Each structure stands twice: as structure tokens, then as C-alpha cells.
Amino acid sequence: MRHSSKLYFFTTLIMALFFQNHLLAQTEDGVVRIESSAHVDQMVAQKKEYNKSLDKINGFKIQIYYGSEKECYEVKEEFTSLFPEIATSIIFSTPQWKLQIGNYRTRLEADHAMVGIKKEYPSAIVLATEIDLE
């Protein structure tokens, strides 16, 4: 019984020392070097040029109103006075008029904007749609 206690103690001690060394070795600074071929660089440049030619991309907008045309324009005026820095667009989709705002590239950006907008427009929702590039 006594022999197994000593064996357990020494095994635990050796493992603790080993893992301590292992953890310390992980904290050393290193250098990362990324190599790419000329073909990859050329493809990246072509993609950048193509992206510059786009007017719209997939993204997100926030819809704050749908209903009649008259009310849609009234809500737009009200919204523009409260949030002048956010772009608005009115869309007609039979039989409803919709007021959508913002051009958000990610859902996270749209959700972040919703925090302030929900206080004034509690029925606002985030929609995945094409957005204008600015």
C-alpha cells in the first residue's frame, strides 16, 4: 500500500513538471511567414477589381414599416428626423409599401443598429437582401 502511494506521488510530480515545461514552451514568441504564388496574388487582384465594379452585394436592411403609401412616407420623414445618418429606401411590393433602412454588410452590424431603432420602432425586423455599396 505504501509503495503505491509513493509511486502515485512521483508519477503525479513528474506529470506536473512535464506539463509545466510544456505550457511554458507554448508562450514563446515566433515568426509566421506566409508564402503565396504569383498566381494566387493575381487572382486576389482580379477579385478586388471585380468587387469595385459591383453596385450591390448581399447584406442586411432593417424594415421599420409596411402598409399604405401615405403612412410609409410619413414614417420615412419621422425616421429621417430621428436618424439622419441612416439611409432609407421605400419599396412597393403589391399590395404593401415598405420602408427599409440602412445598408449593413453583416447581421451583427444590423443587430447592433437595431438596439437604438427598436426603441422608436418596436416592430422593426432585420431582412437579408441586396444592399447598395457606398
Side-chain angles (χ1 to χ4, degrees):
M1 204 63 161
R2 192 169 187 194
H3 179 67
S4 65
S5 296
K6 287 181 180 180
L7 182 61
Y8 177 76
F9 173 75
F10 285 116
T11 305
T12 306
L13 181 64
I14 289 171
M15 288 179 64
L17 291 173
F18 172 76
F19 284 121
Q20 181 183 12
N21 258 354
H22 184 68
L23 291 174
L24 291 175
Q26 297 295 323
T27 61
E28 294 179 15
D29 291 334
V31 176
V32 175
R33 192 174 74 181
I34 300 173
E35 296 181 18
S36 66
S37 70
H39 181 68
V40 171
D41 293 338
Q42 179 186 8
M43 289 176 61
V44 169
Q46 286 176 344
K47 178 66 173 162
K48 285 181 181 179
E49 283 301 313
Y50 172 75
N51 287 346
K52 288 179 185 177
S53 70
L54 297 176
D55 294 333
K56 294 184 179 278
I57 61 169
N58 290 330
F60 299 88
K61 289 185 179 253
I62 298 171
Q63 184 170 296
I64 61 170
Y65 176 80
Y66 69 96
S68 72
E69 178 182 12
K70 182 181 175 190
E71 286 183 44
C72 191
Y73 281 97
E74 289 172 0
V75 172
K76 179 183 179 190
E77 285 182 34
E78 176 188 295
F79 179 82
T80 303
S81 68
L82 293 172
F83 302 94
E85 71 283 357
I86 301 177
T88 61
S89 57
I90 292 178
I91 299 162
F92 178 68
S93 178
T94 306
Q96 301 291 327
W97 291 80
K98 301 172 184 177
L99 178 57
Q100 295 179 353
I101 60 157
N103 289 303
Y104 305 102
R105 290 180 181 240
T106 65
R107 176 71 190 232
L108 184 61
E109 288 176 1
D111 287 341
H112 181 68
M114 281 280 283
V115 172
I117 292 167
K118 275 277 199 186
K119 292 175 184 172
E120 298 294 325
Y121 302 93
S123 62
I125 58 171
V126 175
L127 300 174
T129 185
E130 284 190 334
I131 62 169
D132 300 320
L133 288 176
E134 298 162 357

